Amino acid sequence: MSQPTLTEQVNAVTETLTQDIKSNKLDLPSPPELLVSIRQLGADPDTTTNDIADLVKHDVNISGRLIKIANCALFASRHQVSTVHAAITRLGQKKVQSLVTGLVIGQQIMRNKTKGLEAFCQQSWQNSNAVAAWSYALAQKKTKLDPEQALLAGIVHNIGALPLTLKLNTIPALKEDPKILSLVANVVIPKLYPRAGQLIMQSWHFAPEIIVVAREHLNL
């Protein structure tokens, strides 16, 4: 029996994932604990800088990234900050909440990267960062939109790639050939990730305006 061609494999995978999305059967990862906690703090009007610092300081990687961001040219003053509390004070609680959300999602993407899709996951995360930076700058300088909300929207706009990469890694025929897996991913994921993004943002209880960005950002 002849092996299916690449086109046949792409079509089969596309059909499977499309049906999973339509029937709401796509396996969605649970939101990371830190993401849940930072969003809970963000929803509480009594949250203080100390509350956020106490939460974030337990994650060394994210703490270090926040301090680095606070000292970058866009936010830095003449004095460098060296603590999480000082970084949050400089950046502001709302911006920190958006940044932590993005950093946690980035960790999730890179932690779940699968064999054969490492480069794809890395590129998705870099694209997320670039879109978030442009969204923040444009909202701040050219519109009356909330820059922090634009930053968050940019960070999560392509989150739908995460459950799709995880799903592809469960298909035996693709796992056996990383080259084919990468080729299929590069064709299938760009077609389906907005709809998958809508599902994961709904599952993680994000605001409707963020869900719309994940689903409709390609519809210019």
Side-chain angles (χ1 to χ4, degrees), residues 105-125 161-162 165-166 169 181:
I105 289 174
Q107 282 188 343
Q108 182 87 343
I109 291 172
M110 299 312 295
R111 185 178 295 124
N112 286 292
K113 65 183 178 182
T114 56
K115 186 177 180 181
L117 293 178
E118 296 90 346
F120 186 92
C121 293
Q122 182 66 40
Q123 181 59 43
S124 293
W125 177 228
L162 174 58
T165 55
L166 295 176
N169 196 49
L181 172 62

Side-chain angles (χ1 to χ4, degrees), residues 16-217:
T16 297
L17 292 179
T18 299
Q19 290 304 317
D20 283 350
I21 291 171
K22 284 183 177 179
S23 58
N24 204 23
K25 292 181 179 179
L26 186 67
D27 290 332
L28 301 174
S30 298
E33 185 177 342
L34 182 54
L35 176 61
V36 174
S37 298
I38 195 69
R39 294 184 67 221
Q40 288 174 340
L41 287 180
D44 184 352
D46 296 324
T47 292
T48 67
T49 298
N50 285 336
D51 294 330
I52 299 176
D54 287 342
L55 173 66
V56 173
K57 68 183 182 183
H58 297 294
D59 189 308
V60 176
N61 178 53
I62 288 181
S63 297
R65 293 288 298 277
L66 280 180
I67 293 171
K68 184 176 180 179
I69 291 170
N71 285 322
C72 76
L74 184 61
F75 304 111
S77 67
R78 290 184 297 176
H79 304 289
Q80 297 276 297
V81 299
S82 58
T83 67
V84 176
H85 188 283
I88 295 169
T89 300
R90 174 172 292 177
L91 294 170
Q93 291 187 29
K94 194 170 182 181
K95 188 179 284 89
V96 166
Q97 289 158 17
S98 294
L99 287 169
V100 170
T101 297
L103 292 171
V104 171
I105 289 174
Q107 282 188 343
Q108 182 87 343
I109 291 172
M110 299 312 295
R111 185 178 295 124
N112 286 292
K113 65 183 178 182
T114 56
K115 186 177 180 181
L117 293 178
E118 296 90 346
F120 186 92
C121 293
Q122 182 66 40
Q123 181 59 43
S124 293
W125 177 228
Q126 289 175 352
N127 179 253
S128 172
N129 285 333
V131 172
W134 277 106
S135 299
Y136 179 84
L138 288 172
Q140 185 182 52
K141 298 180 181 298
K142 300 294 184 179
T143 77
K144 295 182 180 180
L145 297 174
D146 182 348
E148 277 72 33
Q149 190 81 335
L151 176 72
L152 178 58
I155 287 170
V156 304
H157 82 280
N158 61 353
I159 186 65
L162 174 58
L164 294 178
T165 55
L166 295 176
K167 176 67 175 181
L168 290 178
N169 196 49
T170 68
I171 300 175
L174 298 181
K175 289 180 66 175
E176 294 170 3
D177 191 333
K179 184 178 180 180
I180 295 296
L181 172 62
S182 179
L183 290 171
V184 171
N186 280 298
V187 174
V188 172
I189 292 179
K191 293 180 180 179
L192 299 179
Y193 82 85
R195 295 167 70 182
Q198 177 185 18
L199 292 180
I200 195 169
M201 290 288 91
Q202 288 173 335
S203 173
W204 289 6
H205 305 294
F206 271 73
E209 56 267 28
I210 300 298
I211 296 173
V212 168
V213 169
R215 176 68 178 87
E216 299 291 344
H217 65 273

